[in-house]
Amino acid sequence: MQETFGSVSSPFICSQVLRHIADLHREEFPEATEKVYKNFYVDNLLDSFYTEDKASRAVKNSTALLKKGGFYLNQWLSSSRRVLSRIPEGDRNQPRLNLDIEDLPTKRTLGVLYDSESDSFVLMLKLTLKQGLRIGS
């Protein structure tokens, strides 16, 4: 079967294929399987962890799980330099980023900006005031 990305059914099919792979390997990767079901949005994995070790383990296990189905996870981004340093450079969102001296990037994901340096979402609003509209008293 061949699926054309960009068609209406693509997000659904992508999600179902990822879930099928997770189901096939649930016993070997129970935590990663849970991530596929709860933290994947089409082909984006978004999650939060209380420790760097848990984040690193999730990267390792999610990558290994989906590799079993022929998928290669990359473009990893984290607010932790330690976690990023454990990910091969070529698999990071910004492979050439010098983790020792450069600020971590701000990237768009799922329609919002994520500032990984401050570990926060950035909202950008464009306000247009109508002429004659008074604000305040």
Side-chain angles (χ1 to χ4, degrees):
M1 178 178 152
Q2 184 174 358
E3 174 64 22
T4 304
F5 283 92
S7 69
V8 173
S9 61
S10 293
F12 171 78
I13 291 172
C14 180
S15 295
Q16 292 307 304
V17 168
L18 293 177
R19 288 177 175 192
H20 179 69
I21 293 165
D23 288 339
L24 291 174
H25 304 284
R26 182 180 295 277
E27 287 186 28
E28 185 179 359
F29 299 102
E31 291 176 9
T33 294
E34 194 71 19
K35 302 286 179 213
V36 168
Y37 270 85
K38 292 186 175 181
N39 299 92
F40 260 92
Y41 303 92
V42 187
D43 61 350
N44 292 286
L45 170 63
L46 280 86
D47 209 341
S48 180
F49 301 91
Y50 288 109
T51 70
E52 292 171 323
D53 288 336
K54 286 182 180 181
S56 294
R57 190 169 43 253
V59 169
K60 180 182 173 187
N61 290 337
S62 297
T63 300
L65 167 64
L66 293 179
K67 186 176 184 179
K68 298 242 181 207
F71 289 91
Y72 182 72
L73 293 182
N74 58 19
Q75 297 290 315
W76 290 100
L77 183 61
S78 174
S79 60
S80 166
R81 292 171 191 279
R82 185 170 168 221
V83 170
L84 287 172
S85 71
R86 295 174 177 173
I87 299 170
E89 276 187 25
D91 293 346
R92 296 182 203 155
N93 186 273
Q94 289 195 348
R96 293 184 183 92
L97 182 72
N98 184 329
L99 295 174
D100 295 324
I101 59 173
E102 293 182 74
D103 285 343
L104 297 177
T106 298
K107 291 291 180 180
R108 182 172 300 282
T109 183
L110 299 177
V112 295
L113 288 174
Y114 173 66
D115 180 345
S116 57
E117 185 70 39
S118 66
D119 193 22
S120 61
F121 290 103
V122 178
L123 299 176
M124 299 180 75
L125 303 172
K126 182 179 179 182
L127 299 175
T128 305
L129 295 176
K130 293 183 179 179
Q131 197 169 20
L133 181 66
R134 293 178 45 175
I135 298 177
S137 50

